[in-house]
Amino acid sequence: MNKTICITGGAGFIGSHVIRHFVNKYPAYHIVNLDKLTYAGNLENLKDVEGKANYEFVKGDIVDGDFIIRLFEDYKFDGLIHLAAESHVDRSIANPNEFIYANIVGTTNLLNAARHIWKENTEGKRFYHVSTDEVYGSLGETGYFTESTPYDPKSPYSASKASSDHLVRAYNHTFGLPMVISNCSNNYGPNQFPEKLIPLFINNIQNNKPLPVYGKGENVRDWLWVEDHAEAIDLIYHKGSDGETYNIGGHNEWKNIDLIRLLCKIMDHKLNREAGASEKLITYVKDRAGHDLRYAIDSTKLQRELGWKPSLQFEEGLDKTVDWYLQNTEWLKNVTSGEYLKYYEEMYGDDR
Ligand code: NAD
Ligand code: TYD
């Protein structure tokens, strides 16, 4: 094995795609998946790679600083791709504290441990922090987020991610810790926990439950196929310049209500329902507090410097995503039992 890389949050949505990508593409790397297995982490996401010789899972909490130091001393990681986080905006509104611990304290523990084991030599080492476009705040009708857009986070989630981004840059500036950061737009695809818009609505349509559209459904998100994000992370990890930030996005903006109508149409077709049947489930509900109006990423730097580009058209990706959820009913059943039901009831009321 010529490199040992720790990927945090590998049992989550994006992390599982990144793990699969690295384990399959780089047999000479030892890939260590460090994950606490919160409600969002699920080892079922990685069934196809768990037996591979270059893959190992370690259950652990990044908030436990002593544990993290010991782990880094044991494994002497050459690199880290850090995705572990509390990631859902609505949960950050209901309970901000968890976000401060996992996203800020957790990231700082990893920075301290990396600094500790790389203090003699930083040659070939890299701390890759995976972040979000939400740190830039909210756009009006026009314009894009670039790497130099000032930070203006608006939710506890985005504020905690912004804080962790600043800490990563500060460790680079102050201690010379080698690092890169990427800020990506909304991801979609298989294995996303059904609290986020697309999998929640697929699940509800399938079960003939109301589709809770926040406000007027006019907020805009820029959607990217999750495997295109994993490919970008690979490129940036290997070819990105030290200390740099790269924006990742699909130039694929959708107003929520338009996306939801498209999803309903696809689902009517797949479920052999009469045209328009699923749209009848649309229910306008109270808006999310502080709801960001629009996100849109300018990924010119990544495309120009590292040659990345998205591979899938949104309609095709959404179709594939729906197929995955319809074919993986057992996965959906497992993740929507227990804690999920309690969350759903608190969030949307038990009549939805
Ligand atoms: P997710 O919620 O699906 O998964 C998060 C993973 O982190 C889970 O496996 C969970 O068990 C693990 N985790 C949480 N707290 C932990 C802790 N204290 N110690 C160890 N592991 C812990 O999240 P996701 O959507 O896959 O997002 C992954 C990363 O990408 C996050 O950092 C997020 O901010 C960022 N991101 C997400 C999106 C998106 O659209 N989902 C877009 C841009 C950036
Ligand atoms: P989400 O998937 O939570 O991602 P984010 O808030 O990080 O962008 O939400 C995407 C959009 O969908 C966002 O504008 C909020 C909206 N939304 C709803 O209208 N209803 C819902 O039940 C959820 C979860 C989201």
Side-chain angles (χ1 to χ4, degrees):
M1 300 284 170
N2 65 8
K3 258 188 180 54
T4 302
I5 300 177
C6 177
I7 300 184
T8 72
F13 166 47
I14 302 170
S16 61
H17 289 271
V18 175
I19 294 262
R20 180 173 301 103
H21 181 99
F22 273 74
V23 167
N24 290 332
K25 186 165 170 192
Y26 301 107
Y29 288 179
H30 177 195
I31 301 295
V32 178
N33 173 13
L34 169 63
D35 200 296
K36 182 182 170 184
L37 300 183
T38 67
Y39 77 92
N42 184 355
L43 290 177
E44 260 189 74
N45 295 345
L46 291 163
K47 274 253 165 294
D48 54 322
V49 297
E50 69 187 8
K52 303 252 171 156
N54 64 336
Y55 170 72
E56 183 180 350
F57 171 67
V58 174
K59 185 170 190 296
D61 187 347
I62 59 171
V63 178
D64 181 347
D66 294 338
F67 161 75
I68 292 297
I69 291 277
R70 282 198 306 276
L71 184 80
F72 274 59
E73 282 176 345
D74 286 351
Y75 282 83
K76 307 263 180 313
F77 297 121
D78 298 292
L80 182 97
I81 304 177
H82 175 37
L83 296 110
E86 287 293 335
S87 69
H88 190 39
V89 173
D90 291 326
R91 286 185 191 253
S92 84
I93 295 168
N95 182 10
N97 289 30
E98 285 305 316
F99 287 71
I100 308 307
Y101 300 131
N103 300 358
I104 307 179
V105 177
T107 302
T108 310
N109 286 337
L110 294 169
L111 287 165
N112 288 336
R115 197 182 153 218
H116 170 66
I117 61 160
W118 299 340
K119 60 179 176 281
E120 307 299 342
N121 184 7
T122 55
E123 186 69 34
K125 309 290 191 272
R126 173 149 277 184
F127 190 112
Y128 184 155
H129 180 60
V130 175
S131 193
T132 167
D133 60 356
E134 304 190 24
V135 297
Y136 298 121
S138 180
L139 291 164
E141 305 271 303
T142 57
Y144 294 93
F145 298 134
T146 71
E147 288 79 2
S148 56
T149 301
Y151 274 31
D152 188 18
K154 307 272 193 200
S155 74
Y157 163 65
S158 54
S160 69
K161 290 296 290 188
S163 176
S164 62
D165 292 12
H166 288 318
L167 283 159
V168 175
R169 289 197 187 96
Y171 272 59
N172 179 257
H173 181 82
T174 308
F175 306 119
L177 189 86
M179 67 80 178
V180 280
I181 297 182
S182 58
N183 296 85
C184 189
S185 62
N186 286 58
N187 284 214
Y188 73 99
N191 306 99
Q192 187 168 32
F193 193 78
E195 63 188 355
K196 305 267 167 66
L197 179 73
I198 291 177
L200 176 79
F201 278 33
I202 292 174
N203 190 29
N204 283 15
I205 293 171
Q206 208 182 351
N207 294 301
N208 271 308
K209 288 170 77 175
L211 304 177
V213 179
Y214 296 162
K216 294 184 177 148
E218 282 174 353
N219 305 67
V220 174
R221 297 292 182 263
D222 175 357
W223 295 92
L224 182 70
W225 176 241
V226 62
E227 287 176 13
D228 286 334
H229 190 187
E231 177 65 34
I233 288 175
D234 178 357
L235 271 176
I236 294 166
Y237 181 80
H238 289 101
K239 301 202 175 123
S241 301
D242 182 51
E244 289 294 317
T245 295
Y246 298 87
N247 278 357
I248 312 172
H251 265 296
N252 178 43
E253 289 178 49
W254 284 79
K255 212 177 252 192
N256 289 343
I257 193 64
D258 295 337
L259 186 162
I260 291 159
R261 292 210 171 102
L262 173 63
L263 187 61
C264 288
K265 204 167 134 201
I266 295 174
M267 293 288 285
D268 281 346
H269 179 67
K270 305 260 179 205
L271 298 171
N272 292 319
R273 287 183 185 166
E274 193 183 302
S278 300
E279 268 199 30
K280 294 200 181 108
L281 298 168
I282 290 175
T283 311
Y284 291 92
V285 300
K286 187 167 172 272
D287 208 354
R288 172 186 279 172
H291 198 172
D292 288 340
L293 177 67
R294 175 171 165 259
Y295 305 142
I297 276 275
D298 178 348
S299 61
T300 307
K301 178 177 173 182
L302 178 62
Q303 305 211 20
R304 195 186 52 229
E305 292 184 13
L306 304 185
W308 174 86
K309 58 176 187 324
S311 70
L312 272 193
Q313 288 296 318
F314 186 58
E315 285 79 355
E316 191 187 346
L318 197 56
D319 197 84
K320 279 169 78 141
T321 304
V322 170
D323 281 344
W324 187 87
Y325 282 92
L326 294 180
Q327 283 156 18
N328 287 273
T329 45
E330 206 48 33
W331 182 94
L332 203 52
K333 207 171 102 206
N334 291 344
V335 302
T336 53
S337 60
E339 198 271 349
Y340 181 82
L341 294 176
K342 194 165 147 263
Y343 164 79
Y344 199 86
E345 200 172 307
E346 275 168 17
M347 186 64 214
Y348 298 107
D350 49 10
D351 59 334
R352 300 201 189 283

